[in-house]
Amino acid sequence: FFFGEKSVLTYKSQNNDTWPERLCSVPKYLSQQWSKASGRGEVGKLRIVKNQGRTEVSFTLNEELASINDIGGKPASVSAPREHPFLLQSVGGQTLTVFTETSVDKLALEGIVVQRAECRPAASENYMKLKRLQIEESSKPVRLSQQLDKAVTTNYKPVANHQYNIEYEKKKKEDGKRARADKQQVLDMLFSAFEKHQYYNIKDLVDITKQPVIYLKEILREIGIYNVKGTHKNTWELKPEYRHYQGEEKSD
């Protein structure tokens, strides 16, 4: 069986000789072609021979699975390499085991992996063409401009209120729900502010006192004058009977 780009291969000859489990890495295109095999059909042949005391292993992909019809969702019409020699390596002191899962979700130990194998495609014209197409596909930008043959008819419903506006309105309402402080406390803050400067706009006074605008204006009407014209238009100043400024800052 296989999973992703790694497979565990087992081999049993006609005389019931077994080849212990090998953990095998395979090229991505090969695992994709294997997934196209119908049912429990054969995907290829594994050849194991002894050559001067060394084990040589190769895999031959079945001819009907060699055709690659698309790459990246686009027609390719290229053939995958069929011959794949193996590079065998030790497991490096690791303990790797092979499990199978039954239809009732039970795991069974099948064996221990004794060797790693890397399945490599043999250099061929088919392989070079395949790699060239894969590289071209991977190098394409994610976004491409495309000329439309006809007008877009997809209807997009307008949003009644964007999230940014909702959050802004929420904050605005929370600011409007500021707790009213004691009137005398507000008066003390206002007189202290007007000792430093003669004129203030309402926004600055709200920032200083942290009071709701309506409540603050009620108190300002008792002690202040709102300038509707002139140099200091749209600002508040104290009534003459309440004025007491520091130094020469009357004209601030």
Side-chain angles (χ1 to χ4, degrees):
F1 60 92
F2 64 91
F3 46 96
E5 296 182 30
K6 289 189 176 179
S7 304
V8 177
L9 301 179
T10 60
Y11 167 84
K12 182 176 289 187
S13 66
Q14 292 182 350
N15 57 7
N16 289 330
D17 293 333
T18 60
W19 187 47
E21 279 81 1
R22 265 76 172 173
L23 180 64
C24 181
S25 297
V26 302
K28 184 177 181 180
Y29 72 83
L30 190 57
S31 65
Q32 290 173 339
Q33 295 306 101
W34 286 357
S35 66
K36 297 177 182 178
S38 59
R40 299 178 62 86
E42 184 182 280
V43 295
K45 295 184 182 298
L46 196 65
R47 182 171 179 268
I48 305 170
V49 297
K50 290 286 186 178
N51 184 7
Q52 297 180 354
R54 296 179 57 185
T55 302
E56 294 183 353
V57 184
S58 63
F59 172 76
T60 302
L61 181 67
N62 272 4
E63 186 174 0
E64 61 268 22
L65 295 178
S67 177
I68 297 178
N69 297 322
D70 65 83
I71 294 178
K74 296 182 178 180
S77 299
V78 64
S79 296
R82 295 188 59 202
E83 300 300 326
H84 298 78
F86 279 29
L87 175 63
L88 303 178
Q89 297 175 325
S90 65
V91 293
Q94 294 178 296
T95 301
L96 303 174
T97 55
V98 182
F99 292 89
T100 56
E101 185 176 2
T102 65
S103 58
V104 291
D105 296 330
K106 288 186 178 181
L107 294 178
L109 177 63
E110 294 293 332
I112 297 176
V113 175
V114 298
Q115 210 170 29
R116 290 180 179 272
E118 183 178 347
C119 179
R120 296 180 171 181
S124 65
E125 184 179 351
N126 281 340
Y127 178 67
M128 298 307 295
K129 184 177 180 181
L130 172 63
K131 291 304 296 181
R132 183 168 59 252
L133 290 174
Q134 289 176 334
I135 292 172
E136 289 175 356
E137 182 64 28
S138 63
S139 62
K140 289 181 179 179
V142 178
R143 296 182 179 180
L144 296 174
S145 59
Q146 183 178 359
Q147 184 175 354
L148 300 178
D149 297 328
K150 57 182 179 180
V152 178
T153 57
T154 305
N155 295 324
Y156 295 94
K157 294 182 179 180
V159 179
N161 202 355
H162 292 279
Q163 186 62 32
Y164 174 84
N165 293 334
I166 295 174
E167 292 175 357
Y168 175 79
E169 291 297 329
K170 182 180 178 181
K171 184 177 184 300
K172 190 175 179 181
K173 289 180 180 179
E174 290 175 353
D175 290 343
K177 294 180 180 178
R178 290 171 174 163
R180 294 188 177 190
D182 179 78
K183 181 178 180 181
Q184 188 57 50
Q185 184 180 355
V186 178
L187 286 171
D188 291 342
M189 288 188 286
L190 290 173
F191 285 133
S192 177
F194 280 110
E195 282 182 358
K196 300 175 183 177
H197 301 285
Q198 183 175 353
Y199 304 97
Y200 285 93
N201 60 43
I202 191 64
K203 180 179 182 298
D204 291 335
L205 292 175
V206 169
D207 291 339
I208 292 171
T209 62
K210 308 299 181 187
Q211 296 301 300
V213 175
I214 296 177
Y215 178 56
L216 185 60
K217 285 183 177 180
E218 290 176 1
I219 298 176
L220 282 170
R221 291 189 187 100
E222 295 179 15
I223 64 171
I225 299 172
Y226 184 68
N227 296 300
V228 295
K229 61 182 179 178
T231 306
H232 301 287
K233 183 179 179 181
N234 299 329
T235 62
W236 287 87
E237 66 175 317
L238 291 177
K239 292 180 180 179
E241 60 264 35
Y242 295 112
R243 294 175 186 174
H244 177 67
Y245 305 109
Q246 293 180 350
E248 300 296 328
E249 294 195 0
K250 293 183 179 180
S251 60
D252 284 356

